[in-house]
């Protein structure tokens, strides 16, 4: 079977399509040989990747179904020609990306940046390649601007390729990636496949970047480890990173069920706790008034809190901070969601918060669904919650 011919995507019609900001993604079923997120169809390709990490990426080694990756000829963000032959001798992590996207693709950008960091000296032997999925913005300046804006401008092994719309469409078709276009809105819905290609140009595994891409540390670590494991044996190594913290089976890692907490309220009397309302997701945002990025995202968090009223709960946890300063900052930002005081880091400590801001999303059963270091934009958090939270009933 020609795996790169037209594919059947049995869930396309019922796919989750989220149109947020400029871009969107389409979660389609993987090709028939792919496994599910809960249980990959075979053992991970890389010995350094746990079952939990493989599930996070929906990682599926292709085994005997492995085939040569399709050729392409594009221009990257620096104006240089790139093609499959450009990366001979290097592992390639290939995706399709909308250069106007402000939500999911930007989370992938954070994953790529951290994966590159985790690779260390192996970074020179791995290429992160993305093909523009947006035919309405095909200019080199478009992919260059997006790369710079989202922290990839100085990542030397990041290549964002673009071309004339027909060439971009041909590349997507060759890789079997679904693209849906709305000419009236100039919006793009695209597949979320990750292709892991070995140094000889053969696809060895498939993955997906979806909502779980927001759990940056384990997602990035797994991408990096899979890429390194496709290198010749003498070049393989265990990559760095904090994936073990984020994917711990107990404690506060992804999938774990942390103990409920109750903290003094920042404003007024009483306490704020983590027990969710029935059926609600809970967003825990760890922050401090001395953290510029924390203060900068308060307005976006308030917007999301208002938008998801009755569907998800947001709690701000002020960590080891001056309460007077924290109250002043939140009053100025118009923060209306519950705020708690974690004066001694009694909650931030067990959650193993690596820095501020840091966001943890709990599912309705109290299990950790997402761990996201750094600030969330309104578009990113809206995308993640729209993917997780059932729509409001009318």
């Amino acid at each position: 079977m020609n795996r790169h011919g037209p594919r059947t995507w049995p869930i396309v019609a019922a796919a989750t399509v989220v149109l947020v900001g400029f871009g969107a993604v389409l979660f389609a079923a993987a090709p028939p040989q792919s496994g599910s997120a809960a249980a990959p169809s075979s053992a991970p390709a890389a010995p350094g990747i746990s079952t939990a990490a493989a599930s996070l990426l929906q990682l599926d080694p292709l085994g005997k179904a492995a085939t040569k990756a399709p050729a392409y000829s594009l221009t990257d963000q620096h104006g240089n020609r790139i093609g499959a032959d450009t990366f001979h001798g290097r592992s390639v992590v290939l995706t399709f990306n909308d250069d106007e996207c402000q939500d999911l693709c930007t989370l992938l950008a954070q994953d790529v940046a951290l994966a590159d960091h985790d690779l260390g000296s192996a970074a020179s032997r791995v290429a992160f390649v993305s093909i523009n999925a947006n035919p309405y913005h095909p200019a080199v300046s478009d992919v260059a601007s997006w790369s710079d804006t989202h922290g990839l401008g100085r990542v030397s092994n990041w290549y964002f390729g673009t071309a004339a719309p027909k060439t971009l469409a041909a590349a997507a078709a060759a890789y079997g990636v679904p693209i849906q276009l709305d000419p009236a809105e100039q919006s793009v819905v695209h597949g979320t496949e990750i292709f892991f290609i070995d140094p000889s140009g053969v696809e060895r595994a498939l993955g997906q970047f979806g909502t779980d891409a927001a759990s940056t540390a384990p997602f990035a670590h797994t991408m990096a480890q899979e890429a390194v494991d496709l290198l010749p044996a003498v070049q393989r190594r265990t990559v760095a990173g904090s994936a073990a913290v984020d994917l711990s089976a107990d404690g506060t890692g992804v999938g774990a069920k942390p103990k409920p907490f109750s903290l003094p309220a920042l404003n007024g009397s009483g306490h704020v706790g983590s027990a969710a309302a029935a059926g609600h997701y809970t967003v825990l945002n760890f922050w401090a008034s001395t953290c510029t990025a924390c203060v900068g995202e308060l307005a976006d968090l308030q917007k999301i809190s208002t938008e998801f009223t009755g569907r998800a709960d947001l709690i701000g946890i002020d960590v080891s901070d001056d309460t007077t300063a924290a109250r002043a900052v939140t009053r100025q930002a118009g923060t209306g969601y519950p705020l708690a005081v974690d004066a001694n880091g009694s909650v931030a400590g067990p959650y193993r918060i690596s820095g501020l801001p840091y966001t943890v999303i709990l599912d309705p059963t109290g299990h950790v669904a997402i761990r996201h270091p750094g600030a969330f934009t309104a578009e990113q958090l809206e995308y993640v919650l729209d993917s997780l939270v059932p729509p409001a009933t009318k």
Side-chain angles (χ1 to χ4, degrees), residues 106 140 218 288 305 322 371 380:
T106 67
V140 170
S305 176
D322 179 86
R371 288 179 60 101
Q380 289 172 334

Side-chain angles (χ1 to χ4, degrees), residues 81-124:
R81 183 262 174 193
I82 59 170
D85 57 310
T86 304
F87 308 105
H88 183 77
R90 300 164 71 180
S91 289
V92 174
V93 180
L94 186 146
T95 56
F96 283 73
N97 191 359
D98 173 6
D99 63 6
E100 290 293 297
C101 176
Q102 299 298 322
D103 39 72
L104 179 59
C105 296
T106 67
L107 294 172
L108 177 66
Q110 294 174 358
D111 296 332
V112 169
L114 184 57
D116 177 69
H117 177 270
D118 286 356
L119 284 170
S121 61
S124 63

Side-chain angles (χ1 to χ4, degrees), residues 25-320:
V25 297
L26 186 149
F27 289 99
Q33 68 270 19
S34 294
S36 68
S41 60
S42 57
I49 296 176
S50 67
T51 300
S55 296
L56 197 70
L57 267 70
Q58 300 184 44
L59 186 62
D60 193 36
L62 297 179
K64 294 181 179 178
T67 57
K68 198 79 171 178
Y72 53 87
S73 183
L74 306 169
T75 303
D76 72 9
Q77 70 272 23
H78 302 297
N80 300 320
R81 183 262 174 193
I82 59 170
D85 57 310
T86 304
F87 308 105
H88 183 77
R90 300 164 71 180
S91 289
V92 174
V93 180
L94 186 146
T95 56
F96 283 73
N97 191 359
D98 173 6
D99 63 6
E100 290 293 297
C101 176
Q102 299 298 322
D103 39 72
L104 179 59
C105 296
T106 67
L107 294 172
L108 177 66
Q110 294 174 358
D111 296 332
V112 169
L114 184 57
D116 177 69
H117 177 270
D118 286 356
L119 284 170
S121 61
S124 63
R125 296 187 289 274
V126 175
F128 295 98
V129 180
S130 208
I131 298 177
N132 188 12
N134 192 327
Y136 307 115
H137 296 272
V140 170
S141 59
D142 293 324
V143 295
S145 175
W146 191 93
S147 298
D148 290 341
T149 300
H150 298 293
L152 295 173
R154 295 185 178 181
V155 176
S156 61
N157 55 344
W158 163 255
Y159 304 85
F160 196 174
T162 193
K166 287 185 178 180
T167 301
L168 297 178
Y175 278 89
V177 173
I179 307 286
Q180 295 181 3
L181 304 175
D182 184 339
E185 298 293 331
Q186 292 203 337
S187 62
V188 179
V189 181
H190 63 89
T192 60
E193 295 77 12
I194 306 174
F195 301 88
F196 293 93
I197 302 167
D198 72 15
S200 69
V202 174
E203 286 182 29
R204 294 296 180 185
L206 293 176
Q208 298 279 336
F209 65 95
T211 304
D212 286 333
S215 290
T216 309
F219 201 94
H221 180 273
T222 307
M223 283 201 304
Q225 186 64 65
E226 177 65 22
V228 165
D229 199 64
L230 296 181
L231 294 171
V234 295
Q235 297 178 353
R236 295 173 196 161
R237 55 185 288 271
T238 300
V239 301
S242 56
V245 171
D246 291 76
L247 286 173
S248 59
D250 53 16
T252 57
V254 174
K257 187 174 183 178
K259 295 179 180 179
F261 64 80
S262 179
L263 292 170
L266 177 64
N267 296 312
S269 58
H271 285 73
V272 175
S274 60
H280 285 204
Y281 279 78
T282 302
V283 179
L284 306 178
N285 176 251
F286 294 85
W287 73 288
S289 65
T290 54
C291 163
T292 302
C294 300
V295 175
E297 72 174 347
L298 287 175
D300 281 352
L301 293 173
Q302 178 56 44
K303 175 184 176 182
I304 294 300
S305 176
T306 301
E307 180 180 346
F308 285 86
T309 297
R311 300 168 59 202
D313 301 318
L314 200 150
I315 299 173
I317 302 176
D318 185 36
V319 181
S320 303

